[in-house]
């Protein structure tokens, strides 16, 4: 009788934010297109499965993810948790702002959080953006500057 050793795949732990998931100088677009774009970045990095993007749009239809201070934090509805493979974020910066309901968002951060990690991510991001002067620093920053500001402390 032969016993085969099933090799356990080495799963690489994903960082919460990668430089390639930071887009600066984005041009305004519809809220749905922006959510789909930031959601696709989460898919492309391996944080979520494709259906999570639709769940992000669904969340926005039922409850705005605009947080104030020119920040929107789109994320999926509760039922989509099963589509999340790893916690991660993707960032789009709109120096001119992009329409978000009756508001303008300059910073849009797509979020996927495993378990309750999404609440921690939301809290950290809100704190960072609410800090005096950070919206301006982020909207005028380079990819590297935005990356450094948002990855620190996460």
């Amino acid at each position: 009788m032969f016993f085969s050793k099933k090799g356990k795949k080495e799963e690489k732990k994903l960082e919460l934010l990668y430089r390639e998931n930071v887009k600066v100088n984005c041009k305004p677009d519809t809220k749905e297109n922006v959510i789909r774009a930031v959601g696709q970045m989460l898919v492309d990095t391996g944080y979520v499965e494709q259906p999570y993007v639709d769940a992000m749009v669904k969340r926005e239809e039922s409850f705005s993810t605009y947080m104030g201070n020119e920040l929107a934090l789109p994320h999926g509805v509760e039922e989509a948790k099963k589509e999340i493979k790893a916690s991660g974020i993707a960032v789009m910066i709109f120096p001119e702002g992009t329409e978000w309901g009756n508001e303008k968002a300059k910073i849009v951060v797509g979020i996927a959080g495993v378990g309750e990690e999404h609440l921690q991510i939301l809290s950290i991001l809100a704190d960072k953006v609410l800090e005096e002067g950070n919206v301006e620093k982020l909207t005028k920053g380079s990819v590297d500057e935005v990356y450094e500001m948002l990855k620190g402390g996460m």
Side-chain angles (χ1 to χ4, degrees):
M1 188 187 255
F2 293 100
F3 292 96
S4 65
K5 264 190 168 178
K6 287 191 177 176
K8 222 181 180 184
K9 275 189 183 176
E10 284 282 319
E11 284 200 36
K12 184 181 166 208
K13 174 127 171 72
L14 294 175
E15 297 294 325
L16 194 63
L17 176 62
Y18 288 99
R19 224 173 231 92
E20 59 266 22
N21 277 6
V22 176
K23 306 289 183 218
V24 298
N25 297 318
C26 298
K27 297 294 174 217
D29 204 342
T30 66
K31 182 168 52 170
E32 181 173 339
N33 285 346
V34 171
I35 292 170
R36 289 192 181 282
V38 79
Q40 190 60 49
M41 290 163 62
L42 294 172
V43 171
D44 293 346
T45 308
Y47 296 121
V48 300
E49 298 291 346
Q50 192 67 46
Y52 188 77
V53 179
D54 290 330
M56 292 172 76
V57 173
K58 187 176 177 185
R59 158 77 68 201
E60 195 64 38
E61 289 168 354
S62 64
F63 187 82
S64 178
T65 57
Y66 183 80
M67 309 304 282
N69 208 29
E70 301 177 305
L71 171 68
L73 301 174
H75 53 284
V77 293
E78 193 64 33
E79 308 87 81
K81 288 274 188 196
K82 65 186 181 298
E83 305 297 342
I84 300 172
K85 298 189 286 187
S87 294
I89 63 174
V91 182
M92 294 178 76
I93 304 292
F94 297 85
E96 304 161 31
T98 190
E99 296 296 324
W100 211 271
N102 296 328
E103 305 289 343
K104 273 198 188 267
K106 289 188 175 184
I107 304 163
V108 177
V109 182
I111 298 173
V114 174
E116 296 303 309
E117 288 180 11
H118 74 283
L119 295 174
Q120 184 180 3
I121 296 167
L122 287 168
S123 173
I124 291 169
L125 286 170
D127 285 348
K128 285 182 184 244
V129 175
L130 291 174
E131 209 173 290
E132 187 74 32
N134 277 357
V135 169
E136 189 173 346
K137 284 180 192 169
L138 287 165
T139 56
K140 291 181 178 180
S142 67
V143 168
D144 286 337
E145 290 166 332
V146 171
Y147 171 75
E148 289 301 326
M149 276 184 77
L150 294 181
K151 81 160 177 83
M154 293 234 188

